[in-house]
Amino acid sequence: QVQLQESGPGLVKPSQTLSLTCTVSGGSITTSYYYWSWIRQPPGKGLEWMGAIAYDGRTYYSPSLKSHTSISRDTSKNQFSLQLSSVTPEDTAVYYCARLQGSPYYGMDYWGKGTLVTVSS
């Protein structure tokens, strides 16, 4: 059973960088052909796919967020991370990490429970 767990600060100040880590257990993030993504849901809004990192380290980003989003991984810890720079209150959301099978854009089969990040001074 694959499990994903998000971790990071719950409060970030405007203009700062939001950093979250997803720790994966029950499966390796380097196993072909899985992709590991970040998805968020602002209050009262729908889910937004932010980006993903592939089993081989390739990264994929939402065009609307690409300029201030970075996804990386630490294979020794079986973790992948999200950095979102220059945040504004509009970046307040529940952030989820998820595994996708066969595509970096859809086919999520395992999700973390999500973590609320509030952007406020």
Side-chain angles (χ1 to χ4, degrees):
Q1 181 79 2
V2 175
Q3 293 184 317
L4 298 91
Q5 177 66 58
E6 305 89 351
S7 60
L11 179 64
V12 181
K13 295 184 184 301
S15 81
Q16 292 188 340
T17 296
L18 180 161
S19 296
L20 295 173
T21 295
C22 183
T23 300
V24 179
S25 59
S28 172
I29 63 172
T30 62
T31 299
S32 307
Y33 297 91
Y34 291 109
Y35 299 79
W36 306 88
S37 69
W38 287 99
I39 299 153
R40 68 181 181 179
Q41 185 170 30
K45 298 185 179 180
L47 294 169
E48 178 183 22
W49 178 88
M50 301 181 69
I53 188 163
Y55 55 95
D56 61 358
R58 289 174 293 166
T59 52
Y60 306 81
Y61 298 104
S62 166
S64 63
L65 298 172
K66 184 175 183 178
S67 64
H68 65 123
T69 303
S70 178
I71 297 175
S72 60
R73 66 179 185 171
D74 185 336
T75 57
S76 68
K77 296 180 180 179
N78 215 36
Q79 295 175 333
F80 64 104
S81 298
L82 170 73
Q83 289 199 315
L84 184 66
S85 62
S86 304
V87 296
T88 71
E90 286 66 41
D91 293 307
T92 294
V94 177
Y95 286 77
Y96 299 92
C97 56
R99 190 183 80 167
L100 301 85
Q101 185 173 2
S103 168
Y105 306 110
Y106 53 83
M108 295 77 168
D109 57 1
Y110 288 97
W111 293 71
K113 294 181 180 180
T115 186
L116 174 64
V117 179
T118 301
V119 179
S120 175
S121 56

